[in-house]
Amino acid sequence: MTEATDKATLLQRLLESEAALVQAVSVPDELASVCPDANCWSILHITEHLGMTERGMFGRLETAETNPNEPNLAFDEKITHIGHDRTGKRNAPERVLPQGKFSSIKDALHFFQQARQESIDFVEKNTEDLRGKKIVHPIGEMDGHQLFLLMSAHAERHVKQIEEVKQSPAYQAA
C-alpha cells in the first residue's frame, strides 16, 4: 500500500464509523440513559466512553517512537477483528470509564465528534508516514496507521453494543 492509499483508507474508516455512531445514537435522551442491567452501560455512557477513548488513543501519538519494522499488514486485519468482536466482554481501563459527565446524548455525541474531528484533521494534514510510528497499546504494539484503524474499529464495536442495548428488555420497555 502507498501512503496515499493508507490515508484514504483511514479517512474512509474514520468517517464511516462516525456516521454509524451518529445514526445509532439518534435516540431521545430518556432512552439514551436506559441501562439494560446493572452491569451494562447506557447509550449515553457508551458515547461518553468513545469520546474519552478517542482522545486517549490519539494522545498515544505524542509518545510514539520511531518504528523500524516493516508494516505488519496482517495485524491491520487483526485489529479490525478485535474491534468488531463482541463475543466476549472487555473491561475498559479505569481512565476511560464513563463518569456521567453528560445529561444529553447530543452533548455526549458532540464530545466524541470533537475528538474524532481532531483525528480526521490529523490524518488529512499529516505528511509523516504513520507506519513509521510505533505505538504501545494494551492490545499490542502497533504502528500509527493501525492506531487509527483501532479507533474506527472501537467505535464500530460500540455501535454493535448500542444495537444490543436497543434490543434489551429494559430499553424496549422504556
Side-chain angles (χ1 to χ4, degrees):
M1 281 193 196
T2 67
E3 285 182 47
T5 303
D6 273 356
K7 184 179 277 199
T9 298
L10 291 180
L11 289 171
Q12 179 182 356
R13 294 282 308 278
L14 289 166
L15 291 167
E16 286 176 354
S17 59
E18 179 182 7
L21 179 66
V22 168
Q23 182 176 357
V25 302
S26 294
V27 299
D29 285 331
E30 57 272 9
L31 291 178
S33 60
V34 171
C35 289
D37 65 48
N39 297 319
C40 294
W41 292 346
S42 69
I43 295 170
L44 191 59
H45 289 138
I46 294 166
T47 308
E48 178 185 352
H49 164 76
L50 283 169
M52 290 190 297
T53 56
E54 185 87 8
R55 289 180 192 280
M57 282 193 261
F58 185 79
R60 290 181 183 274
L61 281 172
E62 294 174 1
T63 59
E65 300 173 18
T66 300
N67 183 11
N69 303 319
E70 287 295 312
N72 179 353
L73 300 179
F75 198 58
D76 288 9
E77 292 301 318
K78 185 175 181 181
I79 286 172
T80 300
H81 173 73
I82 289 169
H84 291 170
D85 183 14
R86 294 271 314 141
T87 57
K89 194 170 188 175
R90 295 192 192 120
N91 293 322
E94 185 76 30
R95 69 185 172 279
V96 292
L97 290 176
Q99 303 296 312
K101 292 195 282 190
F102 304 103
S103 59
S104 78
I105 193 65
K106 178 183 171 191
D107 291 344
L109 180 60
H110 180 70
F111 176 67
F112 167 78
Q113 287 180 306
Q114 284 179 317
R116 177 54 59 96
Q117 190 59 52
E118 289 175 21
S119 299
I120 291 168
D121 290 346
F122 178 84
V123 171
E124 285 178 333
K125 295 172 184 162
N126 180 55
T127 57
E128 294 181 71
D129 178 12
L130 289 173
R131 298 276 187 188
K133 295 194 176 286
K134 181 172 79 174
I135 310 294
V136 178
H137 188 277
I139 70 164
E141 196 173 279
M142 64 186 68
D143 64 40
H145 176 87
Q146 292 164 338
L147 179 72
F148 288 102
L149 288 178
L150 181 60
M151 286 180 188
S152 298
H154 182 250
E156 292 162 352
R157 172 184 171 77
H158 283 295
V159 166
K160 289 180 181 182
Q161 182 184 10
I162 290 167
E163 295 309 322
E164 292 168 11
V165 168
K166 290 178 180 179
Q167 297 305 312
S168 72
Y171 186 92
Q172 295 291 317

